[in-house]
Amino acid sequence: MQNDVIEKLIEQFRSLPGVGYKTAQRYAFSIIEGKAERAKRFAEAITEAKSKIGFCKVCGNFTDQDVCNICRTRNRKIVCVVKEPKDILSMEKVKTYNGVYHVLFGTISPLEHRGPDDIKIKELLARISSDGVEEVIMATNPDVEGDATAMYIAKLLRPLGVKVTRIAQGVSMGSDLEYADEVTLSKALEDRRQI
Amino acid sequence: MQNDVIEKLIEQFRSLPGVGYKTAQRYAFSIIEGKAERAKRFAEAITEAKSKIGFCKVCGNFTDQDVCNICRTRNRKIVCVVKEPKDILSMEKVKTYNGVYHVLFGTISPLEHRGPDDIKIKELLARISSDGVEEVIMATNPDVEGDATAMYIAKLLRPLGVKVTRIAQGVSMGSDLEYADEVTLSKALEDRRQI
């Protein structure tokens, strides 16, 4: 006896990541019970974001212009390489970083049949010479694919005389050793620094 | 350095019940990274639901017509009284119920300055005689306000010769006595039945 129109809205909310039927239903009712003006703004925000937001043609970041704000205003001699556009947001929380980014749009993954040519490595190499890059920071995820991709790119970049670094892996700040997994702990031990 | 257009979409998702910034951001990226066709359908579903869905003029259920499906096809002699339109959905999971509903749009709440005249009690009384109602099932929430509202309405209906019942309160099916709260347990004991 559920209404078709409501069902259609619930289905749309269900397509969001991690949303099940009950949650989608709650979201849908919140729209239906809310003001008409709010539903209008919501629909417009979706349409506008999808139509206006594209990728920066230099780094791959989300932007509503040709070249994103970061590429236009920052030091282009340091490039931080990430897997996805949204990783830039996470990195940007580190307010002290003043370099630019490069989005790979994926990592090398033999299991998913994704090789070096399927991600934006060529584009990174092209930027190295054209921008006079001095350091490339590999900030792909600290997992098997992220590590392998970082190593692969480092090998390509070294002959070009560019300094290649990898973000440090170790125990999280504020965490408890008791709950750290052994791979992380062994990495933290291996990369220990003199103080 | 977050984009205004993206920020606007995140803000809309944040307005949904129980959604914080991180989750809203995840939803927004899912729209931006998704197909244009999906964003279009999503925006349309919101607009359509808000513009087409109103309340059934008989019972208060959500509907895109004047009178909802339930009111048009079911036995009008049994009325189940609920607090909100979405409660009808929960009750409808009980496939055996063949009666109709009445939405109060709230419960009596002195704390929130909501008296009997602020909810749809008059409308319920009017239906009693016009539809020849034989039984009214009070299915307001099993909390203080829901109970008080049920009692208040029962007192009004009894003189009209209508049978008034209240949904049973007790321990949930499949639950564990160990985790039942004492109010629920005492209610379950009080309303015990011979077997």
Side-chain angles (χ1 to χ4, degrees):
Chain A
M1 279 289 177
Q2 175 75 283
N3 190 289
D4 279 355
V5 179
I6 301 179
E7 209 51 72
K8 221 155 60 180
L9 181 57
I10 293 175
E11 197 191 293
Q12 289 303 324
F13 277 120
R14 274 196 80 175
S15 73
L16 295 172
V19 176
Y21 190 85
K22 276 258 178 184
T23 305
Q25 187 175 289
R26 222 172 133 213
Y27 292 168
F29 284 143
S30 129
I31 294 288
I32 293 168
E33 289 168 351
K35 295 216 173 89
E37 177 57 31
R38 182 246 194 147
K40 189 167 160 267
R41 274 201 311 270
F42 207 133
E44 281 170 0
I46 289 176
T47 310
E48 191 186 9
K50 186 60 206 170
S51 64
K52 283 198 186 162
I53 300 292
F55 301 114
C56 167
K57 68 175 184 184
V58 176
C59 73
N61 188 11
F62 290 129
T63 180
D64 56 355
Q65 292 161 303
D66 249 23
V67 176
C68 77
N69 275 335
I70 295 178
C71 283
R72 278 188 285 112
T73 58
R74 300 279 198 78
N75 175 10
R76 292 195 174 204
K77 302 223 176 300
I78 306 178
V79 178
C80 177
V81 176
V82 294
K83 183 186 174 193
E84 294 175 288
K86 57 186 161 201
D87 293 332
I88 294 182
L89 265 188
S90 307
M91 293 302 295
E92 280 297 287
K93 285 184 207 143
V94 186
K95 306 285 183 201
T96 49
Y97 181 66
N98 192 36
V100 293
Y101 293 91
H102 184 85
V103 180
L104 292 175
F105 289 96
T107 40
I108 298 170
S109 168
L111 273 176
E112 292 171 30
H113 306 288
R114 212 166 37 241
D117 294 339
D118 300 319
I119 61 177
K120 308 268 179 200
I121 294 182
K122 272 195 306 287
E123 290 79 355
L124 175 63
L125 295 177
R127 288 178 69 182
I128 301 296
S129 46
S130 68
D131 286 352
V133 175
E134 290 165 1
E135 179 176 357
V136 171
I137 304 168
M138 296 303 309
T140 47
N141 289 331
D143 54 20
V144 177
E145 292 178 2
D147 274 346
T149 306
M151 289 306 150
Y152 180 89
I153 293 176
K155 230 170 86 183
L156 290 179
L157 293 182
R158 263 185 234 115
L160 306 178
V162 187
K163 183 175 163 193
V164 187
T165 54
R166 177 90 172 104
I167 50 168
Q169 291 171 29
V171 287
S172 307
M173 288 297 296
S175 69
D176 197 318
L177 281 195
E178 189 180 346
Y179 304 113
D181 63 289
E182 53 193 50
V183 182
T184 300
L185 268 182
S186 106
K187 191 73 188 165
L189 198 60
E190 198 183 313
D191 292 354
R192 66 188 180 279
R193 307 174 34 172
Q194 191 163 3
I195 49 170
Chain B
M1 279 287 177
Q2 176 74 283
N3 190 289
D4 279 355
V5 180
I6 301 179
E7 210 51 72
K8 220 155 60 180
L9 182 57
I10 293 175
E11 196 191 295
Q12 290 304 321
F13 277 120
R14 274 195 82 176
S15 74
L16 295 172
V19 175
Y21 190 86
K22 277 261 178 184
T23 304
Q25 186 176 291
R26 222 173 133 212
Y27 292 168
F29 285 143
S30 129
I31 294 288
I32 293 168
E33 289 168 351
K35 296 217 173 87
E37 176 57 31
R38 181 246 194 148
K40 189 166 160 269
R41 272 201 312 268
F42 207 133
E44 282 170 359
I46 289 175
T47 310
E48 191 187 9
K50 187 59 207 170
S51 63
K52 283 197 187 161
I53 300 292
F55 301 114
C56 167
K57 67 175 184 183
V58 177
C59 73
N61 188 12
F62 290 128
T63 180
D64 56 355
Q65 292 161 304
D66 250 21
V67 176
C68 78
N69 275 335
I70 295 178
C71 283
R72 277 188 284 113
T73 58
R74 300 278 197 80
N75 175 10
R76 294 194 173 205
K77 302 223 176 301
I78 306 177
V79 178
C80 177
V81 176
V82 294
K83 182 186 174 194
E84 295 174 288
K86 57 186 162 203
D87 293 331
I88 293 181
L89 265 187
S90 307
M91 293 302 297
E92 279 298 286
K93 286 184 204 140
V94 185
K95 306 285 184 202
T96 49
Y97 181 66
N98 192 37
V100 292
Y101 293 92
H102 184 84
V103 180
L104 292 175
F105 289 95
T107 40
I108 297 169
S109 168
L111 273 175
E112 293 171 29
H113 307 287
R114 213 167 34 242
D117 293 339
D118 300 320
I119 60 176
K120 308 266 179 203
I121 294 182
K122 272 195 307 285
E123 290 80 354
L124 175 62
L125 295 178
R127 287 178 71 183
I128 301 297
S129 46
S130 68
D131 287 352
V133 175
E134 290 165 1
E135 179 176 357
V136 171
I137 304 169
M138 296 304 307
T140 48
N141 289 330
D143 54 21
V144 177
E145 292 178 3
D147 273 346
T149 307
M151 289 309 149
Y152 180 89
I153 293 177
K155 230 171 85 182
L156 290 179
L157 294 182
R158 261 184 236 116
L160 306 178
V162 187
K163 182 173 163 194
V164 187
T165 56
R166 177 90 173 103
I167 50 168
Q169 291 171 30
V171 288
S172 308
M173 287 298 295
S175 69
D176 197 318
L177 281 195
E178 189 182 345
Y179 302 113
D181 64 288
E182 53 193 49
V183 183
T184 299
L185 268 182
S186 105
K187 191 75 189 165
L189 198 59
E190 198 182 313
D191 291 354
R192 66 190 181 276
R193 307 174 36 173
Q194 190 164 4
I195 50 171

